[in-house]
Amino acid sequence: PATGIVNLDAVADYEVSANFYAVEYTLTANVSGSNGTIELEGDTIVACGTDYTYTITPEEGYHVATLLINSVPADLNDLVEGDSGTYTYTLSDIQEDKNVVVTFAINNYTINASFTDGNGSFTPASTTADHGTSVDLNINLLSTCEHVDTLTINGEKVAVDSLTTGSVYSFVATEDMTIEATTVVNRYHAAAEITGEGTVTEAIVNCNEDHTYTINAEDGWHIASYTFNGTTTTLGSNADVYAQVY
């Protein structure tokens, strides 16, 4: 507390009166740069010995990088996280003017990607990316007869479409990410069309497996020809009633 002394010569009766005023201090808060706010920004007058709490809000994808109080870095662990990405910081028992400066920086995330079944790899397998940036992962499978079956990001399954070796999986970085994938063998429909009267077997076959088409002509009909992937083979009327196509 402030103390004042007045010396008076006692030569008569005196009546003394004193006026007291609360001591006040100025708090000045600013954001250095952009990408967030501090409330209240600018000057705030507070009484000596009181506390004052600021609300600090980074924009989405940003975080508090530094908080300076009279040019001295504050401990960011003293920030109290609230709802919707806001933080509070309290100046306690204020005994002087304060200058508060906050800066924000973009979030940088770690991304790890792998095939849990061991049948492929991502390139790069590990990388970092700033918030909101696009990341491309090249897919390298051990076999051209396989494709990506499942893909999860932080345990959540995401839709994938025709990712094979040489494909690129692209996404936007929004958090630290662990990407895990599995593969499955390609399967093809061995289809057939018939002109005339007869039957041809169809099937679903795995990549690189042989399939035998069995061709049966109805009574009174014979196999005249068959076409496989655009190549036609003509048969005589005495030909066998089956053919093998690989």
Side-chain angles (χ1 to χ4, degrees):
T3 301
I5 300 175
V6 177
N7 295 315
L8 298 173
D9 293 332
V11 296
D13 292 336
Y14 287 94
E15 181 177 329
V16 178
S17 64
N19 296 317
F20 298 93
Y21 300 91
V23 177
E24 294 179 328
Y25 296 111
T26 301
L27 309 181
T28 302
N30 292 288
V31 174
S32 177
S34 57
N35 304 310
T37 60
I38 184 170
E39 295 181 359
L40 291 168
E41 190 167 5
D43 292 342
T44 301
I45 305 301
V46 298
C48 174
T50 58
D51 299 340
Y52 189 84
T53 298
Y54 283 102
T55 298
I56 301 172
T57 307
E59 291 181 358
E60 182 180 0
Y62 288 79
H63 63 277
V64 177
T66 62
L67 180 63
L68 302 180
I69 311 297
N70 290 348
S71 300
V72 177
D75 187 349
L76 297 184
N77 291 323
D78 292 336
L79 291 171
V80 179
E81 187 171 3
D83 296 331
S84 304
T86 63
Y87 298 85
T88 58
Y89 183 82
T90 299
L91 297 172
S92 301
D93 189 23
I94 297 168
Q95 298 291 333
E96 61 180 340
D97 294 335
K98 299 282 188 180
N99 187 45
V100 180
V101 180
V102 61
T103 62
F104 300 96
I106 196 167
N107 297 343
N108 184 263
Y109 305 118
T110 298
I111 298 164
N112 295 305
S114 64
F115 280 81
T116 57
D117 57 9
N119 291 331
S121 63
F122 289 97
T123 305
S126 181
T127 188
T128 60
D130 287 343
H131 177 86
T133 58
S134 180
V135 180
D136 295 332
L137 299 181
N138 295 304
I139 294 176
N140 316 293
L141 302 183
L142 297 182
S143 171
T144 57
C145 270
E146 294 185 344
H147 64 275
V148 175
D149 182 32
T150 64
L151 190 145
T152 62
I153 298 179
N154 293 343
E156 296 292 328
K157 189 174 181 178
V158 298
V160 292
D161 182 29
S162 301
L163 292 177
T164 60
T165 191
S167 296
V168 176
Y169 179 63
S170 300
F171 58 93
V172 174
T174 57
E175 59 183 331
D176 291 332
M177 294 180 171
T178 298
I179 298 173
E180 296 179 327
T182 62
T183 62
V184 68
V185 173
N186 300 337
R187 305 197 74 197
Y188 304 110
H189 181 200
E193 295 182 0
I194 299 172
T195 299
E197 297 294 332
T199 60
V200 180
T201 56
E202 298 186 10
I204 302 296
V205 296
N206 290 336
C207 176
N208 271 352
E209 285 187 355
D210 295 338
H211 173 63
T212 299
Y213 286 90
T214 300
I215 306 172
N216 295 305
E218 297 289 346
D219 289 345
W221 292 76
H222 67 274
I223 301 171
S225 65
Y226 65 85
T227 301
F228 180 68
N229 285 349
T231 300
T232 299
T233 300
T234 301
L235 303 175
S237 61
N238 295 323
D240 292 336
V241 292
Y242 69 91
Q244 287 187 328
V245 180
Y246 299 99

